[in-house]
Amino acid sequence: MSEPKVLLRGNRLGLGQPRREMLPEYHRWENDPGTVLGYGNQFPQAWETREAGWTGQRGNHNYPQFEVVRLDDMKPIGITTLMVNTFVRTAEFVIVLAPEARGKGYAIEATRLTLDWAFHLGALRMVWLKVLAPNEAGIAAYEKAGFQRSGRLRQSGFWLGRPVDELLMDALPADLPGPSAVAAHLDAENTENTDRAAVSTQDT
């Protein structure tokens, strides 16, 4: 299996390109009962359906996805997705983590890195999401990553078989907490290029 190619690094996690060879793992994460409950999907997705949709998703410029990679061992632990509306430069955000990676604070950093990319490289004006109201852990993670509560869809979802509300949450570039990983990456790259140019000048 190929090594993940990390495009953007944070503290513990990085964002990379999804890989076809990882599709069985992605499918396992997505069909975990905790994921099905959080997504409100109710039933698992067939492997054939997931496999057939891979090419279409990867070829859709308005459906960028990132493989979330744990930097200390380069292990993929999740996927984040931005469903972009190019007419108004907004996107819906979706995240799925491997069941064994939950409860460790990874959702906060993975969400924040994806927002960082969305705003500073993707030139999006706003990113939004829907989350079922009983999903208190998810709501807390999204808020720590920069999302704010912006509305409620009453009785629009199900949680453990009973109707519940969905919360709408959104984030603007100004809501992103802490320093930008994108800016840090570009600063490091510029410093490296400057140092390389200085060495080249000395050699001549």
Side-chain angles (χ1 to χ4, degrees):
M1 182 173 290
S2 64
E3 284 289 314
K5 182 178 181 180
V6 177
L7 305 174
L8 182 65
R9 292 175 178 267
N11 295 323
R12 295 191 296 166
L13 304 178
L15 298 182
Q17 288 276 18
R19 294 167 291 158
R20 174 64 179 81
E21 63 202 84
M22 282 292 299
L23 192 55
E25 272 294 278
Y26 303 159
H27 186 248
R28 177 178 71 86
W29 304 342
E30 292 159 355
N31 281 335
D32 176 76
T35 306
V36 173
L37 176 66
Y39 276 6
N41 288 344
Q42 299 180 357
F43 296 103
Q45 182 185 60
W47 164 252
E48 292 80 5
T49 301
R50 184 65 172 94
E51 185 180 35
W54 168 259
T55 302
Q57 288 181 352
R58 299 304 299 140
N60 186 347
H61 182 69
N62 298 323
Y63 195 85
Q65 291 186 302
F66 297 97
E67 183 178 80
V68 180
V69 180
R70 192 166 56 205
L71 295 177
D72 63 358
D73 58 4
M74 297 304 285
K75 181 177 177 61
I77 62 164
I79 289 283
T80 61
T81 302
L82 293 166
M83 291 178 276
V84 178
N85 182 333
T86 57
F87 296 103
V88 292
R89 301 307 303 167
T90 66
E92 181 180 2
F93 172 78
V94 178
I95 182 172
V96 58
L97 290 180
E100 58 273 17
R102 296 171 192 158
K104 305 178 187 299
Y106 292 140
I108 300 169
E109 186 174 3
T111 299
R112 190 185 176 284
L113 284 171
T114 306
L115 287 178
D116 199 348
W117 189 294
F119 293 140
H120 297 128
L121 294 175
L124 298 180
R125 296 189 303 122
M126 183 269 283
V127 177
W128 64 278
L129 60 83
K130 291 191 297 184
V131 56
L132 293 168
N135 188 358
E136 296 178 359
I139 294 168
Y142 295 141
E143 288 179 328
K144 290 177 182 178
F147 279 96
Q148 299 184 18
R149 305 184 193 205
S150 58
R152 180 180 292 265
L153 301 175
R154 294 180 297 168
Q155 302 289 287
S156 60
F158 285 91
W159 184 267
L160 296 177
R162 60 184 179 86
V164 296
D165 296 351
E166 284 182 292
L167 297 184
L168 296 174
M169 305 183 74
D170 61 26
L172 302 176
D175 298 326
L176 195 64
S180 165
V182 169
H185 175 84
L186 295 177
D187 287 345
E189 194 172 71
N190 289 336
T191 299
E192 184 179 336
N193 290 338
T194 300
D195 292 345
R196 189 179 296 115
V199 171
S200 178
T201 301
Q202 293 171 2
D203 291 341
T204 59

